[in-house]
Amino acid sequence: MRLRILPARARRATVGTALAVLGGLGAAACQNDVDITDPNAPSSQTFWRTATDAQAGVTAAYNALLQIGTYQRWQAFGLDLRSDIGTSTSPWAELQSFIKFQFPSGYDFEVNRELWNHHFVLVGRANQVIARVPEIQMDAARRGAIVGEAKFLRGLAYFQLMALYGSAVPVITEPVTTSDRPASGDSAALYAQIERDFTEAAAALPRQLMSASGGRATAGSAQGMLGKTLLQRRNWAAAAAALEPVVRGTYGAYALESNYANLFTQQGNNGAESLFEVQMGNVDLCGQGICGLNISKMVGPCGPSYCDGLPTRWYFQQFFTDSTTSGQLDPRLDATIFYYKGPNTPVFNRTWAQRYGSDTGRIYFKKYGEYYTGLVESTWEAPINYKVLRYADVLLMYAEALNEQGQTAAAYPHVNAVRRRAGLRDLAAGLSQTAMRNAILRERLLEFGLEGSRWLDLGRHNLFADLAGLRARDPDFLTFTPRRSEVLPVPQTERNLNPNIRQNQGY
């Protein structure tokens, strides 16, 4: 069973007030001089009355995950392509500049604007559910679970906003009015809210796998994201404590998918490895607001896709430094990147020679593409769910949290489990804490391409300070400014509407 994102009336009803769609905080700052009430339009005063209303409300919050600024498209550009695993030679000059940490046309460039706005759409819809649903007379357990789902979604939105924009983000936990001008917060307050949301969601949600939840957030989703948040804060002991019961199976029988490549196909939707994934639609449902995944159309191979984002040559080369127990290449390479393996190398139902002739040096992202379906080009609406959190991530985060506390020996089995799935040899015995840290970061590098991981890893371990290393790996970093470029600028239209929002340092 899949989570169905309700169209039409359900979505409109959930956002029936003048603010509900909340196209970022900017919507909260707009004044409407025409005070006319449509008697046929649901509002916050007439809508939140029944269990059906509660369900429609949280479904609308889930729908915000399918916006281009959340997980449908620009997620990959905001985190992966700006890291050292990605680059851009796009003819869209502004997009190429964005990847190179520049904003020649200002801070309202589409990618930056929609990353901000659409995450606040999610915050706004979740806030309405959290505020209104407790007042509805309905089954108490289901009511609590709906509120828990909304808290998980709000925590997820703020986790992403913190990763992208840092402490300039205001913390909003109530439905807003047109007169509100919420101020930027600070890192401590923002992280405290994220941790509170995930903690309360984990307590309220059922302990089941995504396959049983119908695509909705579960207790394991929230507990895993709590551990990820604590890890990002470098609170190693608390992160280990949060992740340990997930590894132990307390929140469900999570397990690694035996075939890594399957994770990023439609067949891999809602498998046992997934703690949370965004339930993507397809071309037939997009007219109802249930669209598919756009990432491959933007960053897949030239011809079938626009190839606006590319893997760096350095990232490609990292897959060749280890081999499987049978002497083969790491299978994650072929699942992540298109590269030349002979003139008959398939690229979306055409051979390499047919598409690129004798140009054998090209490399393109492959993950999340529909190359396996027989299509000759990518579609805009791939029915492949975006993996927000996988069990492999939990294992490697748990290993990292243990190692950073000096428990290096205890980290081994969790790293080796991920390596064995790829057919690689176990790590060498007797690694120092530093060597284990490097091994874990390397495993994450190869495991999580195009999954929003690398940017977080760079920040968590202060690798942005190694500017010479970054520039050697990825020339895009020649225009990277320490501290300034580690976060995005707040869109200027947002600050024009709300001067209480602080611009990030250096912009």
Side-chain angles (χ1 to χ4, degrees), residues 239-457:
L243 294 166
E244 190 270 339
V246 181
V247 174
R248 194 174 64 238
T250 301
Y251 288 89
Y254 296 107
L256 297 175
E257 159 71 49
S258 59
N259 186 328
Y260 177 83
N262 279 353
L263 288 165
F264 311 102
T265 68
Q266 189 173 6
Q267 179 183 346
N269 289 350
N270 298 319
E273 185 165 339
S274 181
L275 277 79
F276 188 72
E277 56 191 66
V278 177
Q279 309 296 301
M280 291 292 169
N282 56 51
V283 65
D284 295 326
L285 296 173
C286 195
Q288 303 175 58
I290 316 171
C291 297
L293 190 65
N294 297 169
I295 290 175
S296 181
K297 186 65 174 178
M298 294 296 295
V299 306
C302 286
S305 309
Y306 291 119
C307 56
D308 281 312
L310 302 168
T312 59
R313 182 66 53 177
W314 171 81
Y315 181 47
F316 172 61
Q317 292 168 344
Q318 301 315 297
F319 288 94
F320 291 87
T321 59
D322 204 349
S323 61
T324 67
T325 55
S326 59
Q328 304 300 309
L329 289 173
D330 188 326
R332 291 173 294 191
L333 168 61
D334 193 48
T336 304
I337 295 176
F338 282 108
Y339 66 102
Y340 182 77
K341 295 178 286 184
N344 293 322
T345 302
V347 183
F348 276 81
N349 210 32
R350 294 286 187 272
T351 68
W352 192 280
Q354 288 172 321
R355 289 200 182 274
Y356 310 123
S358 60
D359 187 351
T360 62
R362 298 178 181 224
I363 52 174
Y364 300 113
F365 279 114
K366 186 176 184 180
K367 189 178 283 189
Y368 286 126
E370 294 177 276
Y371 57 87
Y372 59 92
T373 64
L375 291 172
V376 296
E377 64 178 83
S378 294
T379 65
W380 277 111
E381 314 301 341
I384 302 170
N385 290 351
Y386 183 90
K387 301 294 187 292
V388 174
L389 184 62
R390 297 194 278 118
Y391 188 55
D393 198 359
V394 170
L395 290 173
L396 292 178
M397 289 192 296
Y398 186 48
E400 182 177 324
L402 292 172
N403 183 59
E404 295 299 333
Q405 296 178 82
Q407 301 174 46
T408 301
Y412 269 91
H414 312 297
V415 183
N416 285 337
V418 177
R419 290 178 60 82
R420 288 171 187 169
R421 191 260 296 278
L424 304 181
R425 297 173 179 82
D426 286 355
L427 293 174
L431 292 180
S432 67
Q433 183 186 50
T434 298
M436 176 61 81
R437 178 185 303 123
N438 292 336
I440 292 169
L441 283 170
R442 180 172 190 76
E443 210 61 44
R444 295 185 62 82
L445 177 74
L446 304 180
E447 180 76 18
F448 301 118
L450 281 186
E451 296 180 64
S453 173
R454 182 60 175 172
W455 188 265
L456 296 174
D457 293 349

Side-chain angles (χ1 to χ4, degrees), residues 153-309:
L153 293 172
R154 183 173 67 186
L156 185 61
Y158 275 128
F159 180 88
Q160 293 295 94
L161 284 164
M162 185 69 183
L164 293 163
Y165 296 97
S167 61
V169 174
V171 179
I172 307 169
T173 59
E174 298 286 343
V176 297
T177 70
T178 53
S179 62
D180 288 343
R181 300 293 186 274
S184 298
D186 57 58
S187 296
L190 187 53
Y191 272 128
Q193 184 59 52
I194 295 167
E195 291 167 20
R196 186 178 307 113
D197 277 343
F198 287 144
T199 299
E200 293 177 2
L205 295 175
R207 298 187 177 189
Q208 57 186 190
L209 301 184
M210 292 291 288
S211 58
S213 76
R216 298 185 178 280
T218 69
S221 308
Q223 188 69 19
M225 284 304 303
L226 174 62
K228 194 174 184 76
T229 304
L230 292 164
L231 192 85
Q232 201 62 27
R233 297 191 74 178
R234 300 173 58 86
N235 191 338
W236 311 118
L243 294 166
E244 190 270 339
V246 181
V247 174
R248 194 174 64 238
T250 301
Y251 288 89
Y254 296 107
L256 297 175
E257 159 71 49
S258 59
N259 186 328
Y260 177 83
N262 279 353
L263 288 165
F264 311 102
T265 68
Q266 189 173 6
Q267 179 183 346
N269 289 350
N270 298 319
E273 185 165 339
S274 181
L275 277 79
F276 188 72
E277 56 191 66
V278 177
Q279 309 296 301
M280 291 292 169
N282 56 51
V283 65
D284 295 326
L285 296 173
C286 195
Q288 303 175 58
I290 316 171
C291 297
L293 190 65
N294 297 169
I295 290 175
S296 181
K297 186 65 174 178
M298 294 296 295
V299 306
C302 286
S305 309
Y306 291 119
C307 56
D308 281 312

